[in-house]
Amino acid sequence: MPELPEVETVRRGLAKRLTGQTIVTVRLNRPDLRFPIPPDLPGRLEGRTIASIDRRAKYLLVRFEPKGADAPVMIVHLGMSGRILFDDGGRPPDPHDHLVFTAGDGTRLIYNDVRRFGFVLLAGESGLAAHPRLAGLGPEPLGDGFDTAYLRGRLAGRMTPIKSALLDQKLVAGIGNIYACEALFQAGVSPSRLAAAVTGKQAGKLVEAVKDVLSRAIEAGGSSLRDYVQTDGELGYFQHSWSVYGRQGEPCPTCPGGRACATGVSRIVQSGRSTFYCHRQQR
DNA sequence: CACACAACCTGTCAGC
DNA sequence: TGCTGACAGGTTGTGT
């Protein structure tokens, strides 16, 4: 599920219910995720009270009381298939429930990840910015640091397709495959255009489209693939707003007459990942 | 340094 | 029904 809008949706659900809660017990069922869960994680978090739950790019950052330079920060990444779920009792055992927290009010919080591309790590507050997973991340796409001048500067000289550049987390952090496709469509920019060949006008449209698509997706509670549900059990519904992603062969939503493109939405593979676009409206 | 691609792991679906 | 191959929201490591 997880690009920036999905992670932000999860963050909001967690923050609402867990801020101020104390972690009573932590059960580590399976540590071998993308990176191993630190064996001392339960011991370091049990008895701690959650101060805040924040987000950086696609990472969740769970902070604890008392705040300070040596306070622990739990870094959570959901990979491709990670979920965070509340269990108020009655959840049947699942082999993919890798980490289970029990809060002071009895709430159980479960980190579930079928493919185990995600990970859960611990850092210290003072070393967070330099942490290997976070250092080098580009600006937040919804922040002021991501503007036309910045994007133009970073695209200059790059001989990779603009689609691949948007997925580069060092350039801008949080865009994934779905929202890269959607933003390029909304901006009218071909995913195959070389980054260096993106005009200033197009860069401006791209910045605007990225911010707009991500903002609308967050408002919709993210996109739900398969049976994915948010922490509160609700389904995100932005997948119904996709213009091109997953719509190979369907008519473009905004081509005049619906079927103006003979082929409809096209699918190509770039850097090993599917790209969906309209060859008529994206140049 | 920049770029393309394989690898990581499990599940699902289409086609035969 | 069972098998095979393609594909899936991401990131990292390797090779050119």
Side-chain angles (χ1 to χ4, degrees):
Chain A
M1 47 120 298
E3 297 183 35
L4 188 152
E6 291 73 38
V7 177
E8 175 61 20
T9 299
V10 169
R11 186 198 70 77
R12 292 179 182 186
L14 294 176
K16 188 173 179 181
R17 190 149 161 190
L18 288 177
T19 304
Q21 288 275 330
T22 298
I23 301 296
V24 180
T25 61
V26 182
R27 195 173 76 228
L28 214 183
N29 292 330
R30 179 155 191 179
D32 57 329
L33 307 184
R34 177 68 192 262
F35 305 107
I37 297 176
D40 64 341
L41 182 140
R44 288 184 61 187
L45 298 186
E46 282 171 355
R48 293 267 186 178
T49 297
I50 295 173
S52 66
I53 300 175
D54 308 304
R55 179 187 58 75
R56 170 75 173 105
K58 301 172 191 172
Y59 295 82
L60 290 168
L61 304 175
V62 183
R63 294 185 154 94
F64 297 88
E65 306 284 358
K67 293 185 171 182
D70 54 352
V73 181
M74 184 167 67
I75 302 171
V76 180
H77 196 290
L78 299 172
M80 292 277 267
S81 56
R83 315 174 184 201
I84 296 178
L85 306 160
F86 285 119
D87 173 29
D88 295 315
R91 177 180 171 80
D94 182 320
H96 307 302
D97 288 351
H98 306 308
L99 197 53
V100 181
F101 301 85
T102 304
D105 67 352
T107 302
R108 295 200 329 146
L109 185 75
I110 296 166
Y111 179 89
N112 176 289
D113 187 358
V114 169
R115 294 176 73 181
R116 287 184 283 125
F117 286 178
F119 49 87
V120 181
L121 299 172
L122 275 182
E125 184 65 58
S126 59
L128 195 62
H131 190 279
R133 303 277 75 77
L134 303 179
L137 286 177
E140 288 287 321
L142 292 175
D144 293 339
F146 183 62
D147 61 15
T148 306
Y150 170 81
L151 184 60
R152 288 189 69 179
R154 289 300 300 267
L155 295 182
R158 290 191 64 160
M159 289 295 114
T160 197
I162 180 63
K163 158 79 178 330
S164 302
L166 289 178
L167 291 178
D168 180 354
Q169 304 296 298
K170 295 189 294 298
L171 195 155
V172 57
I175 301 173
N177 203 37
I178 293 173
Y179 297 107
C181 293
E182 292 298 312
L184 284 164
F185 173 77
Q186 190 168 316
V189 176
S190 166
S192 303
R193 175 174 285 264
L194 291 186
V198 171
T199 66
K201 189 175 178 181
Q202 287 179 318
K205 282 188 174 180
L206 261 178
V207 167
E208 189 182 353
V210 163
K211 290 177 188 286
D212 181 70
V213 167
L214 294 180
S215 300
R216 288 191 291 115
I218 291 171
E219 279 178 42
S223 301
S224 299
L225 275 73
R226 304 178 185 282
D227 61 345
Y228 177 77
V229 293
Q230 313 298 350
T231 45
D232 59 2
E234 293 293 306
L235 283 165
Y237 51 88
F238 194 72
Q239 65 276 14
H240 304 300
S241 299
W242 294 344
S243 295
V244 287
Y245 187 84
R247 295 187 173 277
Q248 181 179 13
E250 295 181 30
C252 268
T254 58
C255 265
R259 265 286 180 189
C261 311
T263 54
V265 174
S266 302
R267 174 184 176 272
I268 58 174
V269 175
Q270 297 178 291
S271 301
R273 315 204 59 191
S274 290
T275 300
F276 299 88
Y277 71 105
C278 168
H279 66 82
R280 182 170 171 275
Q281 295 192 85
Q282 293 176 251
R283 298 292 174 166

